[in-house]
């Protein structure tokens, strides 16, 4: 079976010094690069937000970063402004091997809805097209790495498992935000969905 490596959001704003930095996020760049040679395909995802995106705390009156609000699709964490389209923060980490990527999936570009998963927007209905691409190429086994473990990696892994892919997450090649215990919660949810944590 063909095996794809899905590299989630290895972008400047999620690495140390970035607007929404994940501790140690830059430490996984080299291991991810080393993994790329072992897969039949490599897919990169890229958070790609307009400046007026509804998930940014600054776009809500009196809202604080990391607070939670209700959106039509459910609860939404309000984040610091990050990965704005065309910005340096939205660029991939300079050390990441882009030449090995078969596909780049950009997500979160619709102003009114966030997108953690590589497969669906946060309404769990609007697709990114990634599942169709993988199926058309016969890529049935997926390994996920990247940032952040407890949000975009976890949501992507859970959606992939629900779509029928064989999924594992290499935890040593991820880092977590760990917002109010979100890392442990994400691990439990991934296991329940049938994701292998390696």
């Amino acid at each position: 079976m063909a095996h794809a490596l899905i590299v989630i959001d290895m972008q400047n704003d999620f690495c140390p010094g970035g607007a929404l930095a994940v501790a140690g996020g830059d430490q996984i760049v080299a291991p991810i690069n080393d993994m790329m040679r072992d897969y039949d395909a490599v897919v990169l995802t890229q958070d790609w937000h307009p400046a007026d995106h509804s998930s940014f705390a600054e776009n809500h009156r009196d809202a604080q970063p990391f607070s939670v609000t209700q959106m039509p699709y459910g609860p939404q964490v309000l984040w610091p402004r990050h990965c704005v389209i065309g910005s340096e923060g939205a660029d991939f980490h300079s050390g990441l091997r882009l030449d090995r990527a078969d596909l780049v999936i950009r997500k979160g570009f619709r102003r009114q809805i966030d997108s953690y998963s590589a497969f669906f927007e946060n309404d769990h209905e609007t697709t990114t097209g990634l599942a169709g691409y993988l199926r058309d190429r016969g890529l049935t086994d997926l390994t996920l790495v990247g940032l952040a473990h407890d949000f975009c990696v976890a949501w992507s892994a859970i959606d992939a498992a629900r779509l029928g892919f064989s999924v594992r997450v290499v935890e040593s090649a991820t880092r977590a935000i760990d917002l109010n215990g979100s890392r442990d919660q994400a691990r439990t949810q991934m296991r329940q969905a049938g994701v292998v944590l390696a």
Side-chain angles (χ1 to χ4, degrees), residues 161-194:
R162 289 176 178 160
L163 288 166
F165 294 95
S166 175
V167 187
R168 71 174 184 143
V169 170
V170 178
E171 292 194 289
S172 62
T174 68
R175 292 293 184 271
I177 295 173
D178 206 13
L179 185 63
N180 300 320
S182 56
R183 183 178 186 274
D184 288 340
Q185 183 180 6
R187 295 183 90 226
T188 298
Q189 291 172 338
M190 284 190 281
R191 286 195 179 105
Q192 290 172 343

Side-chain angles (χ1 to χ4, degrees), residues 7-29:
V7 181
I8 304 292
D9 298 357
M10 288 302 303
Q11 295 165 260
N12 291 329
D13 269 346
F14 297 129
C15 291
L20 186 49
V22 181
D26 55 341
Q27 297 170 0
I28 61 175
V29 174

Side-chain angles (χ1 to χ4, degrees), residues 19-183:
L20 186 49
V22 181
D26 55 341
Q27 297 170 0
I28 61 175
V29 174
I32 289 172
N33 286 343
D34 290 342
M35 293 173 69
M36 289 181 181
R37 67 174 71 95
D38 298 326
Y39 291 83
D40 300 299
V42 175
V43 175
L44 309 179
T45 71
Q46 190 173 25
D47 234 18
W48 199 247
H49 297 309
D52 61 349
H53 198 264
S54 62
S55 73
F56 294 168
E58 67 182 41
N59 293 329
H60 296 261
R61 187 181 182 125
D62 300 324
Q64 296 299 312
F66 307 108
S67 62
V68 177
T69 191
Q70 284 294 319
M71 296 288 194
Y73 51 85
Q76 171 67 54
V77 176
L78 295 178
W79 304 106
R81 176 181 165 126
H82 65 280
C83 297
V84 172
I85 293 170
S87 69
E88 183 179 348
D91 289 344
F92 289 112
H93 187 283
S94 61
L96 189 69
R97 279 197 60 188
L98 304 183
D99 60 326
R100 184 63 180 84
D102 296 84
L103 177 71
V104 174
I105 288 281
R106 286 176 167 163
K107 58 191 181 66
F109 53 82
R110 294 176 176 89
R111 187 181 72 80
Q112 294 292 348
I113 186 167
D114 207 1
S115 184
Y116 298 159
S117 172
F119 294 89
F120 292 97
E121 305 281 6
N122 284 7
D123 62 0
H124 304 289
E125 295 177 5
T126 307
T127 66
T128 65
L130 178 56
Y133 173 83
L134 295 170
R135 287 180 176 136
D136 283 350
R137 289 198 54 189
L139 297 160
T140 56
D141 289 11
L142 310 181
T143 294
L144 278 71
V145 296
L147 301 171
H149 174 282
D150 41 348
F151 284 92
C152 295
V153 173
W155 284 49
S156 298
I158 290 166
D159 281 345
R162 289 176 178 160
L163 288 166
F165 294 95
S166 175
V167 187
R168 71 174 184 143
V169 170
V170 178
E171 292 194 289
S172 62
T174 68
R175 292 293 184 271
I177 295 173
D178 206 13
L179 185 63
N180 300 320
S182 56
R183 183 178 186 274

